[in-house]
């Protein structure tokens, strides 16, 4: 059974309703990052919520576990959401829920 949002890496700041997930382009088989709700796509992890792609693959593929490991993406995947914080596999807290703003925001460092 496939887990829903198995490869989520961020929360979408654009629509504030969906997970940014790792997907594989069905045409050229490149790894992309895509919002599960608004379908915005990003080419690299660093582009997420900053620089969206103009093109859109309407039938993205689920990457395999081998794809995730080969592209060194395992560390970027959110392993848990606890205490209103999004925590990646590498232990980095990428966002925390702001009750005042009613959305996830990047933590202050």
């Amino acid at each position: 059974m496939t887990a829903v949002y198995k490869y989520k890496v961020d929360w979408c700041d654009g629509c504030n309703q969906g997970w940014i997930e790792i997907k594989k382009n069905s045409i050229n088989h490149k790894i992309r990052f895509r919002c599960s709700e608004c379908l915005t796509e990003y080419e690299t992890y660093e582009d997420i919520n900053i620089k969206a792609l103009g093109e859109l693959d309407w039938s993205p593929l689920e990457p395999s576990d081998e794809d995730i490991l080969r592209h060194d993406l395992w560390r970027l995947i959110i392993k848990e959401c606890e205490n209103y914080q999004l925590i990646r596999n590498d232990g980095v807290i990428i966002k925390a829920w702001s009750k005042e703003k009613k959305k996830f925001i990047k933590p202050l460092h």
Side-chain angles (χ1 to χ4, degrees):
M1 182 152 103
T2 304
V4 176
Y5 311 122
K6 181 178 178 182
Y7 297 123
K8 63 183 184 275
V9 297
D10 204 340
W11 185 252
C12 183
D13 289 349
C15 69
N16 198 31
Q17 296 180 49
W19 289 107
I20 304 290
E21 301 175 273
I22 300 169
K23 294 290 183 181
K24 193 173 187 179
N25 186 290
S26 63
I27 298 166
N28 60 21
H29 298 282
K30 289 185 178 180
I31 296 294
R32 298 283 195 226
F33 299 89
R34 180 185 181 131
C35 176
S36 62
E37 189 67 27
C38 69
L39 308 181
T40 302
E41 286 190 1
Y42 305 92
E43 187 169 7
T44 68
Y45 180 78
E46 292 73 24
D47 291 342
I48 293 175
N49 294 317
I50 297 171
K51 182 182 169 190
L53 286 170
E55 68 223 33
L56 180 63
D57 178 7
W58 289 102
S59 55
L61 306 171
E62 285 293 323
S64 66
D65 290 338
E66 292 80 23
D67 288 328
I68 297 299
L69 293 173
R70 183 173 53 249
H71 290 91
D72 193 29
L73 298 170
W74 177 86
R75 63 186 173 81
L76 302 176
I77 297 169
I78 296 170
K79 69 173 182 173
E80 59 188 290
C81 181
E82 67 176 34
N83 298 326
Y84 301 100
Q85 296 176 328
L86 302 180
I87 304 168
R88 295 188 327 203
N89 278 330
D90 62 3
V92 174
I93 298 170
I94 63 163
K95 290 185 180 173
W97 182 257
S98 169
K99 290 181 182 176
E100 300 80 36
K101 295 184 180 185
K102 296 185 172 133
K103 67 179 196 173
F104 282 105
I105 59 172
K106 295 192 183 291
L108 300 174
H109 294 298

